[in-house]
Amino acid sequence: MRFSFLPIVILMMPILEIAGFIIVGKAIGLWLTLALVLFTSFLGLLILRLGGIGLVRNLQDAGRTGAKPADELVNGAMRVVAGILLFIPGFITDILGLLLLSPAVRRFFWKAFGPRVVVAGSFRQSGQRTGPEPGDHSGFRNGPGHAGNSKVVDLDEEEFHREEPKQSPWSNKPNDRDLPKP
């Protein structure tokens, strides 16, 4: 069984935030500390509003052009997480939120966690699947380079047919074949 430090860090965050308030309050004073907390909360709300709208717009543009949405999705999601962290009162969460606003930090996280992220490709109107090229490890799975692992079966109209439905013991409705023909 693997031991995780995440629950311990989550439980320690309020204590660390209170310690941060005490340290910053002693250094700059009560009113400037409160003003700084209110400013970062307002900044977080602003980033959430602009980041959410920008994320949707970038995803729509990527869908229209057929580009890979993985980079836009991850960058937008990290900006939204940064806004949430800035909105939460506290200096440690503010520092983490400000770090996530940096493109270099976002690239680092994408390189570290990108291979573990699965983003499904989409289908264009022509029916051609969009996705990565063979050897592209940008987070796509079951793309053109992974055709052997795909669970999609492509059938033509003449290859697809259904069997006649059988009468279900839980249904009171008769089947079409049991009805009298006019």
Side-chain angles (χ1 to χ4, degrees):
M1 188 163 123
R2 234 172 60 179
F3 181 74
S4 175
F5 287 103
L6 187 62
I8 294 172
V9 170
I10 290 174
L11 290 174
M12 294 295 295
M13 278 304 287
I15 296 170
L16 295 174
E17 291 290 2
I18 291 170
F21 277 119
I22 292 170
I23 292 169
V24 173
K26 281 185 179 181
I28 64 173
L30 172 69
W31 294 110
L32 285 176
T33 302
L34 291 176
L36 189 59
V37 168
L38 289 175
F39 173 73
T40 57
S41 293
F42 176 74
L43 182 66
L45 281 177
L46 186 66
I47 289 170
L48 276 174
R49 179 173 169 83
L50 296 176
I53 293 171
L55 173 65
V56 171
R57 188 177 305 124
N58 291 341
L59 286 175
Q60 287 174 343
D61 289 343
R64 269 195 297 274
T65 61
K68 292 182 255 179
D71 293 334
E72 294 299 330
L73 183 65
V74 169
N75 279 327
M78 284 191 195
R79 284 191 302 262
V80 168
V81 169
I84 291 170
L85 288 172
L86 284 169
F87 179 70
I88 296 172
F91 293 108
I92 295 173
T93 55
D94 289 347
I95 291 169
L96 293 174
L98 289 172
L99 284 174
L100 277 179
L101 288 177
S102 167
V105 173
R106 288 197 307 258
R107 274 193 304 274
F108 170 76
F109 275 117
W110 179 239
K111 285 183 180 180
F113 298 110
R116 297 180 194 155
V117 175
V118 176
V119 178
S122 62
F123 287 90
R124 295 183 187 162
Q125 288 181 351
S126 65
Q128 179 183 3
R129 189 177 202 293
T130 62
E133 297 299 320
D136 182 12
H137 302 290
S138 63
F140 285 87
R141 301 291 186 265
N142 290 336
H146 299 87
N149 297 332
S150 178
K151 295 180 182 178
V152 176
V153 177
D154 188 19
L155 298 175
D156 293 330
E157 280 188 46
E158 60 271 359
E159 295 173 328
F160 178 77
H161 66 279
R162 292 182 189 253
E163 294 180 14
E164 287 290 323
K166 297 180 181 175
Q167 179 66 31
S168 170
W170 295 279
S171 174
N172 293 331
K173 294 192 252 180
N175 284 340
D176 290 340
R177 64 179 173 199
D178 296 335
L179 295 175
K181 307 268 185 204

